[in-house]
Amino acid sequence: MASVHESLYFNPMMTNGVVHANVFGIKDWVTPYKISVLALLYEMTASKITLPERRRLNKLILPLQQGPDLTLGQFLQTVEECCPQTAYAVKLRLHEMADGELKDMEYFFSTLPTPFTAFDSEAYKTSVVGLFMRHMLLAYNKLSFSQVYKLYKSLQHYYHSHYAKPTDGQVGLPALVADDSDMDLTSTEDNVGDRMDKEDLDTPLHESELRNDNAPSRGPLSQKQAEYFLARQAYLLKNDENKALKPAALQEELNNMLKFNPDFAEAHYLNYLNSMRVQDIFLSAHSLLHYFDRLILSGSEGKSNGDEGYGRSLRYAALNLASLHCRFGHYQQADLALQEAIRIAQESNDHVCLQHCLSWLYTLEQMKGSDSTVLTEDSVKMAAHFCLPYLASLGIQSLVQQGATQGKTAHKLMDALKDTDILHWKHSLSELIEISLAQTTSIWRMYGKSTMALQQAQLLLNMSSLEPVNFSVQQNNTEAFTVALCHLAELHAEQGLYNAVSEILRHLKEQFPPHSQHAKLWMLCDLKIQFERHMNEGKYHLAELLVTAISALNKTEGLYRKAQVLKALNRSTEAYSILQQLQVRCEKTKCTEMVIRVMLSTAELHWESSGFSTALPLLLQALALARQHHLQSLASETILHLAFTQLMLGVPEQALSVLHEAIEPVLAHGAVMDKGRALLLTARCQMAVAGFRPNGQGQADLHLAVLAVDTLNEAAAYFSKLNCKERLRDVHYLQAQLHRSLGQTSQCNKSAMLFRLLDQELQSPAPPVSMRL
């Protein structure tokens, strides 16, 4: 199948409609770099190259034509990556002109097939290549002899500077680039010949010819080059931040661009986006305000809309400033800016701007922790009334998120998301489709349905984006992709597949570098996975080191992890104090999941002091909360805690009956650790019901004892997968006692030997089996 980029030759003109005004003071026609591009096009038509190489070269044509001038080394390296044969031919062609005489360059232009005369040429006059060649030939034919000579000398310097060895900060030849009047297509008089000698000494060298191969372009650019550069970098920042220039390099390039044209509004806006990458509060606000100031000063809106253009810039400037403060957590400043935007929009009767303000108003209320359901519902109704599907869909998704935290049933939430998905596909809102899938993944994960969460995450990662893909970019660096990949990493970690986890995290680190805006998501995910792994393996000193890093990213998670470590280290008083502090904090922020986890940890602290009866009210309250909010995984874990408490209170029959309610969802959707703990508890309940006594006294039920042996074997397989040696030691201890009571001497000796080996390896006293789940 022919490549889309082949249409650059054969299809009608495909331009981006940029204005070719010479804002920055230098023409982009008839420069040594453009002659190199022209030589590339000539060699592509003259030489025979394979179809894949031609496709790769066709992809380069628009960036080479519209982008900033490159050094000869950069240009040849770019072409060589696509087709080494063509790069060598271009180098020979430039060598003939630069090392030859002036007539060699003239001969090249005379033999160049024009779109008007060469009918068999691929460069049709309506194609992108044809237009480029027409501009080049028209500009070259209007040059006087002195201008042609200056162009020739500039080409020589451009070619030889690539091979010349740099001296101590000195430039060998003066710049010989023609100035604006020399290359102006409207210039009809040869009035610069008498100034040639002076200009040969005074004309500055184009900075792009002095930069290193890896440095960004410098020096003044034409309007078309500047707009192409800004559009490309803005697109890359939105869709694939890794392919954009580094923050420091892009900042340097923008500063250089604004030095030549301080009123270039689009450059200020890209500066704002770049500052947001590095969380620079001052510079981002400064650049955003300058962007709207330049829009007003340029009069581009005022000319078409009168005074309305001025007011429109003001209210949207205030709205953007409010969103900026929301991003940085400055809620008071955001509220003031938002109220200002609402006031100006009401005075102008701008319903669309008011709707945007309303959407940010409920978002701001959510960030503050207030209930914004009424505001969100009003926003959805008004957005639907004014036919704003994007804002209406965002409002519905926000309502779904609030409903999930407030305990709404799953079928209502999924029905709402299904309705929004229909809206997304109808209007091709691919970004919202991705957000919807990521949100569905999170909801299933919260409900404890790991299989459904895994399915939704895979669906998102395998979905083809509806966004137009430019600059060889795939739109896979959005927040939705980050969330889905983090869920995948945690789901694999729960099943003990740490090799797969490392692969996912490696991809996340490559796709979202530490300086990118979504990096905190995978950083927190990575730390949580490492923490859980160290805790499972009994390496509490390593887990303790991660608590500070987790707290820096999420204070609530950090406090919970700190309490877990302190409890494992038998520092119960400190752990209890932190858990009480955390419970008050989570109840205020309505974080139900963490409240339940805190209750379960507090109940475990009561177990350590044999306060099993005092743990029951906490566990029953946690179970009620989990069932009220349909949190199946937490409900199952709470039932396990209740069963353990009942076992310790001497009612194993009731504990075993309760376990049957929780064991199925745990084995279906639970983590490997939860499966092992559930099976270990089941075996202990079976042993207690069978009448088993550690001292061997009494008559045990052989059927239940055999079932307990099988259950322990299955639990050992799960603990082995996680390398959980402390749990394995408990399993082997119980296995040895069971085999002894059943008269199975060889199995008893084997289990006793495994217990002894693990006990020596751990070098820590085993806690009483009866004191932990």
Side-chain angles (χ1 to χ4, degrees):
M1 180 177 178
S3 173
V4 174
H5 297 277
E6 291 180 6
S7 59
L8 297 177
Y9 276 115
F10 301 107
N11 285 353
M13 179 176 61
M14 297 169 57
T15 59
N16 56 2
V18 294
V19 181
H20 296 273
N22 187 22
V23 175
F24 290 93
I26 285 188
K27 284 290 182 183
D28 57 344
W29 298 111
V30 197
T31 62
Y33 168 70
K34 296 297 183 183
I35 294 177
S36 303
V37 177
L38 203 59
L40 170 63
L41 297 175
Y42 177 78
E43 296 299 336
M44 287 176 63
T45 57
S47 59
K48 293 183 178 181
I49 56 178
T50 62
L51 183 60
E53 290 176 337
R54 180 176 293 277
R55 288 176 177 174
R56 290 195 295 267
L57 288 172
N58 285 341
K59 292 181 181 180
L60 290 178
I61 291 177
L62 277 179
L64 291 178
Q65 289 181 16
Q66 297 185 0
D69 289 358
L70 304 176
T71 63
L72 182 59
Q74 289 175 314
F75 174 74
L76 293 176
Q77 181 182 359
T78 304
V79 177
E80 190 171 0
E81 291 175 356
C82 298
C83 182
Q85 177 185 353
T86 304
Y88 180 72
V90 171
K91 189 186 300 184
L92 286 180
R93 179 70 60 180
L94 295 175
H95 176 74
E96 291 176 0
M97 289 187 283
D99 279 3
E101 299 178 356
L102 181 58
K103 63 180 182 179
D104 296 311
M105 187 181 72
E106 293 180 343
Y107 176 75
F108 169 72
F109 277 95
S110 64
T111 58
L112 198 65
T114 66
F116 304 100
T117 60
F119 295 102
D120 58 341
S121 172
E122 295 177 338
Y124 294 127
K125 58 184 178 181
T126 56
S127 66
V128 173
V129 175
L131 287 173
F132 175 75
M133 295 177 67
R134 287 169 61 188
H135 276 284
M136 287 289 293
L137 291 172
L138 286 173
Y140 180 77
N141 291 332
K142 293 187 74 73
L143 296 179
S144 65
F145 176 78
S146 60
Q147 293 168 343
V148 173
Y149 180 74
K150 289 177 66 177
L151 177 63
Y152 170 68
K153 298 298 289 183
S154 178
L155 178 64
Q156 281 188 322
H157 176 74
Y158 179 75
Y159 178 80
H160 292 297
S161 62
H162 172 61
Y163 299 99
K165 294 182 180 179
T167 56
D168 297 336
Q170 297 180 352
V171 180
L173 294 175
L176 296 167
V177 180
D179 62 8
D180 300 343
S181 59
D182 292 348
M183 300 305 166
D184 195 343
L185 296 180
T186 60
S187 178
T188 57
E189 300 180 4
D190 186 10
N191 56 0
V192 293
D194 54 347
R195 296 183 296 158
M196 178 181 171
D197 295 336
K198 180 178 182 298
E199 289 178 352
D200 284 347
L201 297 176
D202 296 341
T203 306
L205 183 66
H206 197 288
E207 288 190 50
S208 65
E209 298 174 8
L210 293 177
R211 68 170 186 250
N212 297 326
D213 286 348
N214 296 326
S217 61
R218 296 173 180 273
L221 303 173
S222 70
Q223 179 77 7
K224 186 186 73 172
Q225 288 177 317
E227 288 182 351
Y228 176 81
F229 173 79
L230 295 176
R232 185 174 190 274
Q233 293 299 318
Y235 184 88
L236 291 175
L237 287 180
K238 178 181 181 294
N239 294 288
D240 197 347
E241 191 175 328
N242 292 334
K243 294 187 178 180
L245 289 178
K246 299 298 182 184
L250 182 56
Q251 182 67 50
E252 187 177 358
E253 185 73 12
L254 290 172
N255 289 340
N256 183 69
M257 191 179 295
L258 290 171
K259 180 176 66 176
F260 291 95
N261 186 7
D263 295 331
F264 197 21
E266 288 77 5
H268 286 289
Y269 188 76
L270 186 60
N271 203 2
Y272 155 70
L273 295 179
N274 190 44
S275 303
M276 292 293 295
R277 298 166 71 188
V278 294
Q279 304 294 306
D280 190 334
I281 301 175
F282 172 77
L283 188 57
S284 56
H286 179 79
S287 300
L288 183 63
L289 294 177
H290 270 285
Y291 167 68
F292 286 99
D293 288 344
R294 266 51 185 186
L295 280 183
I296 297 172
L297 291 174
S298 65
S300 58
E301 294 184 351
K303 291 180 181 178
S304 59
N305 301 325
D307 294 336
E308 175 59 22
Y310 177 84
R312 186 174 186 274
S313 294
L314 284 181
R315 56 181 175 268
Y316 277 100
L319 181 59
N320 278 271
L321 189 62
S323 68
L324 177 66
H325 285 301
C326 278
R327 183 182 292 269
F328 288 117
H330 305 157
Y331 301 137
Q332 185 177 1
Q333 294 90 330
D335 188 56
L336 292 175
L338 194 57
Q339 295 300 328
E340 178 70 11
I342 293 173
R343 184 185 62 81
I344 303 175
Q346 287 175 339
E347 292 175 356
S348 304
N349 200 25
D350 189 344
H351 297 289
V352 176
C353 184
L354 280 173
Q355 186 55 39
H356 281 279
C357 292
L358 182 56
S359 64
W360 272 109
L361 188 61
Y362 75 70
T363 303
L364 181 60
E365 292 299 318
Q366 286 180 13
M367 291 180 174
K368 291 179 179 179
S370 304
D371 186 7
S372 60
T373 305
V374 177
L375 279 175
T376 310
E377 291 175 351
D378 292 341
S379 175
V380 172
K381 293 176 184 177
M382 295 301 294
H385 175 72
F386 290 109
C387 298
L388 300 172
Y390 191 93
L391 292 180
S393 178
L394 279 179
I396 294 174
Q397 289 179 345
S398 181
L399 283 173
V400 169
Q401 182 178 352
Q402 295 178 47
T405 57
Q406 293 171 1
K408 299 290 184 181
T409 56
H411 68 89
K412 292 184 179 179
L413 301 181
M414 295 306 166
D415 286 343
L417 287 177
K418 181 189 67 175
D419 295 338
T420 59
D421 287 339
I422 295 174
L423 192 66
H424 300 158
W425 289 106
K426 180 180 178 181
H427 296 279
S428 298
L429 302 174
S430 64
E431 184 179 357
L432 294 183
I433 294 172
E434 296 167 2
I435 295 175
S436 177
L437 288 172
Q439 192 175 44
T440 308
T441 304
S442 301
I443 290 174
W444 283 125
R445 184 87 191 286
M446 183 188 71
Y447 285 151
K449 305 293 186 180
S450 60
T451 305
M452 293 300 299
L454 184 64
Q455 182 192 49
Q456 293 296 313
Q458 293 286 359
L459 183 61
L460 172 59
L461 296 178
N462 289 279
M463 187 188 73
S464 298
S465 175
L466 296 177
E467 284 289 324
V469 179
N470 299 322
F471 309 116
S472 300
V473 168
Q474 298 293 335
Q475 189 182 9
N476 58 354
N477 75 327
T478 59
E479 185 178 10
F481 277 92
T482 318
V483 171
L485 286 170
C486 288
H487 279 306
L488 278 181
E490 291 181 352
L491 288 170
H492 282 82
E494 288 177 357
Q495 303 305 317
L497 305 174
Y498 291 111
N499 290 332
V501 171
S502 62
E503 289 294 323
I504 296 172
L505 289 174
R506 181 180 59 81
H507 175 73
L508 279 167
K509 292 174 184 178
E510 293 176 356
Q511 191 66 27
F512 306 93
H515 61 78
S516 60
Q517 56 181 338
H518 304 314
K520 289 184 178 180
L521 295 174
W522 67 257
M523 288 180 179
L524 181 60
C525 173
D526 187 17
L527 290 171
K528 287 164 63 176
I529 290 173
Q530 291 183 48
F531 179 88
E532 294 297 335
R533 187 175 184 179
H534 291 325
M535 291 294 290
N536 290 340
E537 295 176 356
K539 301 176 181 178
Y540 305 127
H541 62 290
L542 296 178
E544 190 175 9
L545 298 176
L546 300 174
V547 171
T548 304
I550 294 175
S551 300
L553 296 172
N554 190 315
K555 190 172 181 179
T556 302
E557 291 285 347
L559 284 174
Y560 177 69
R561 260 61 183 189
K562 185 176 182 180
Q564 292 292 100
V565 173
L566 292 174
K567 182 166 65 69
L569 296 175
N570 296 322
R571 294 161 62 180
S572 302
T573 304
E574 298 174 53
Y576 184 79
S577 175
I578 292 176
L579 287 173
Q580 293 303 306
Q581 175 188 350
L582 185 57
Q583 184 168 354
V584 173
R585 178 193 182 99
C586 293
E587 287 175 350
K588 185 180 298 184
T589 58
K590 299 180 181 179
C591 185
T592 308
E593 290 182 82
M594 188 57 71
V595 168
I596 296 173
R597 294 188 184 279
V598 169
M599 289 180 177
L600 296 181
S601 297
T602 306
E604 292 175 359
L605 288 178
H606 288 301
W607 292 347
E608 293 181 1
S609 59
S610 299
F612 298 104
S613 58
T614 57
L616 276 176
L618 274 176
L619 294 176
L620 293 173
Q621 185 181 357
L623 182 60
L625 272 177
R627 286 178 171 172
Q628 178 185 348
H629 290 80
H630 312 285
L631 307 176
Q632 187 186 66
S633 60
L634 287 176
S636 300
E637 189 173 351
T638 307
I639 291 175
L640 293 182
H641 282 68
L642 277 171
F644 178 80
T645 305
Q646 290 173 333
L647 176 64
M648 293 298 102
L649 290 174
V651 281
E653 295 85 359
Q654 184 64 28
L656 192 60
S657 175
V658 169
L659 268 177
H660 287 308
E661 180 183 349
I663 195 70
E664 184 176 346
V666 168
L667 294 178
H669 301 285
V672 172
M673 187 67 180
D674 294 334
K675 295 176 183 178
R677 292 165 61 201
L679 290 172
L680 177 58
L681 179 59
T682 303
R684 293 174 59 188
C685 290
Q686 290 171 343
M687 292 170 63
V689 172
F692 172 79
R693 298 289 184 272
N695 54 12
Q697 296 178 358
Q699 194 69 26
D701 188 338
L702 295 181
H703 177 67
L704 282 177
V706 173
L707 283 179
V709 170
D710 295 336
T711 306
L712 286 174
N713 290 334
E714 193 174 351
Y718 286 126
F719 291 138
S720 299
K721 195 171 185 179
L722 294 176
N723 194 28
C724 188
K725 296 179 181 179
E726 287 190 352
R727 303 281 182 176
L728 279 173
R729 180 171 59 180
D730 297 342
V731 170
H732 294 317
Y733 175 77
L734 294 176
Q735 282 179 328
Q737 290 188 337
L738 269 176
H739 287 305
R740 181 184 176 186
S741 65
L742 294 174
Q744 299 171 346
T745 308
S746 59
Q747 290 91 334
C748 175
N749 292 337
K750 180 180 178 181
S751 300
M753 180 191 68
L754 292 174
F755 168 79
R756 181 62 176 169
L757 291 175
L758 285 175
D759 193 53
Q760 290 178 347
E761 182 180 352
L762 291 173
Q763 294 182 351
S764 61
V769 179
S770 60
M771 289 301 163
R772 78 172 176 184
L773 175 59

